[in-house]
C-alpha cells in the first residue's frame, strides 16, 4: 500500500545518509537493523516456551502446568525474548526515555517470530491502552509505537481505539502478582459493540500477565472469540 511504500522509501534514504550502527556496541548494523550480527546472537531468545502464556520451558511443544490447571483468557502468545540483558535496558529506554527509534527494531524481531506460525493471523492489533493522564504525562504509548510497525509489516489493521483504560491504576512494578490483578480489576472497557472476532493484544513486556489477562477478559466479555498476546519480552520465572 501507499503508506508501506513511503515507509520503505524513507528507510532507504535514512540508510544512505546515516549508515546503520549497532546501538549496543557501535559496530556496523546487520542489513537494515541497528544491531550487529554479534549482538543479535547474544539476544536472550525465549525458547522453548509455553504457547499459552510464554513462560520458558525445558521441552518444546507443550503447555505449562499452570496453564493446564487454569487456562488464561487468551489462547496464544508470541513473545520472542526473555526480559534479560540487553532487553532489560532497551525496553525501559523506549518506555521511559523517549527512544522511539527502538520500537521498529523490537517489532522486527516480533514479526520474524510471528511469521513462522501456522495459525491464521488476527484481524486487528490492540496495543495495551494507557490512561489519558498517563498518556499526557509520558507523551506516547510504547505499546502503540511497537504495534504500528507490526501492523504495517504484517498488513493487519490497528485498532487502537477499540478499548480504553477507564481508570488510572497504581504502577505495577512494586506490586505482587495478586496485587497486580486486584489493581487492574475493571480497568479496561470496550468502546464499541462491533467487535472483531480475533484480536492480538500488543505490549512491551509481560511479567505476571495481570495486564493482558484483564484486557483479554474485557475483550472476551465484549464478544471477541479469540485473543492472543504479542509482546517483545517475558519477565519472571
Amino acid at each position: 500500500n501507499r503508506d508501506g511504500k513511503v515507509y520503505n522509501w524513507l528507510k532507504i534514504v535514512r540508510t544512505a545518509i546515516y549508515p546503520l550502527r549497532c546501538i549496543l556496541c557501535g559496530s556496523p548494523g546487520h542489513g537494515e537493523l541497528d544491531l550487529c550480527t554479534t549482538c543479535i546472537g547474544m539476544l536472550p531468545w525465549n525458547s522453548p516456551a509455553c504457547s499459552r502464556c510464554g513462560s520458558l520451558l525445558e521441552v518444546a511443544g507443550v503447555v505449562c502446568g499452570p496453564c493446564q490447571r487454569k487456562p488464561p483468557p487468551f489462547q496464544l502468545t508470541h513473545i520472542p525474548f526473555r526480559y534479560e540483558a540487553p532487553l532489560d535496558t532497551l525496553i525501559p529506554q523506549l518506555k521511559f526515555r523517549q527512544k522511539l527509534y527502538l520500537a521498529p527494531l523490537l517489532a522486527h524481531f516480533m514479526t520474524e517470530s510471528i511469521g513462522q506460525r501456522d495459525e491464521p493471523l488476527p484481524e486487528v492489533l490492540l496495543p495495551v491502552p494507557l490512561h489519558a493522564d498517563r498518556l499526557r504525562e509520558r507523551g506516547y504509548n510504547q505499546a502503540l509505537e511497537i504495534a504500528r510497525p507490526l501492523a504495517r509489516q504484517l498488513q493487519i489493521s490497528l485498532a487502537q481505539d477499540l478499548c480504553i483504560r477507564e481508570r488510572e491504576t497504581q504502577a505495577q512494578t512494586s506490586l505482587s502478582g495478586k496485587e497486580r490483578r486486584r489493581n487492574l480489576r475493571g480497568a479496561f472497557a470496550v468502546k464499541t459493540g462491533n467487535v472483531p472476532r480475533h484480536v492480538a493484544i500488543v505490549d512491551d513486556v509481560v511479567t505476571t500477565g495481570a495486564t493482558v489477562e484483564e484486557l483479554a477478559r474485557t475483550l472476551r466479555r465484549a464478544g471477541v472469540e479469540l485473543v492472543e498476546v504479542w509482546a517483545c519480552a517475558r519477565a519472571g520465572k
Side-chain angles (χ1 to χ4, degrees):
N1 58 27
R2 181 177 178 275
D3 290 342
K5 290 179 180 178
V6 171
Y7 176 75
N8 290 333
W9 173 247
L10 290 174
K11 281 203 304 184
I12 293 171
V13 172
R14 173 187 178 273
T15 304
I17 299 175
Y18 303 106
L20 295 175
R21 291 284 172 180
C22 179
I23 56 177
L24 296 175
C25 72
S27 300
H30 174 67
E32 297 181 351
L33 299 179
D34 294 308
L35 287 177
C36 67
T37 53
T38 300
C39 289
I40 290 173
M42 296 171 63
L43 292 174
W45 297 97
N46 185 39
S47 179
C50 173
S51 62
R52 197 72 189 254
C53 71
S55 296
L56 192 64
L57 298 175
E58 294 183 358
V59 181
V62 299
V63 175
C64 70
C67 285
Q68 292 183 41
R69 292 190 294 271
K70 187 179 180 181
F74 44 85
Q75 287 89 343
L76 191 66
T77 63
H78 280 285
I79 307 179
F81 297 116
R82 299 289 300 162
Y83 191 62
E84 299 170 0
L87 275 300
D88 57 359
T89 299
L90 296 181
I91 292 176
Q93 287 180 2
L94 166 64
K95 189 170 183 176
F96 301 115
R97 299 184 182 178
Q98 302 182 338
K99 302 290 182 68
L100 302 186
Y101 62 85
L102 293 172
L105 177 65
L106 299 175
H108 166 82
F109 291 107
M110 292 174 67
T111 300
E112 282 197 339
S113 172
I114 293 159
Q116 299 172 15
R117 63 186 277 159
D118 297 322
E119 303 86 359
L121 290 171
E123 298 168 45
V124 301
L125 302 185
L126 170 63
V128 173
L130 287 180
H131 188 268
D133 292 344
R134 185 70 57 85
L135 184 59
R136 279 191 292 270
E137 176 187 334
R138 188 175 297 170
Y140 62 95
N141 179 354
Q142 76 282 353
L144 174 58
E145 297 304 318
I146 294 172
R148 280 194 177 115
L150 271 177
R152 182 170 55 245
Q153 292 162 18
L154 295 170
Q155 298 184 339
I156 302 175
S157 297
L158 190 59
Q160 63 186 89
D161 297 324
L162 172 63
C163 194
I164 61 170
R165 200 164 191 144
E166 285 196 307
R167 62 180 180 82
E168 182 65 280
T169 54
Q170 182 181 348
Q172 297 278 84
T173 309
S174 61
L175 302 179
S176 67
K178 187 177 292 185
E179 290 170 335
R180 288 179 182 222
R181 288 173 174 81
R182 190 182 306 117
N183 183 44
L184 286 160
R185 199 167 295 148
F188 301 105
V190 173
K191 291 178 61 176
T192 174
N194 185 21
V195 298
R197 174 181 171 274
H198 188 177
V199 175
I201 297 168
V202 179
D203 206 357
D204 52 353
V205 179
V206 172
T207 305
T208 65
T211 300
V212 291
E213 284 180 13
E214 182 63 26
L215 185 50
R217 287 191 193 93
T218 302
L219 293 170
R220 297 290 298 275
R221 285 194 295 265
V224 177
E225 294 180 27
L226 296 174
V227 180
E228 300 187 23
V229 173
W230 294 2
C232 180
R234 186 71 161 85
K237 296 181 179 180

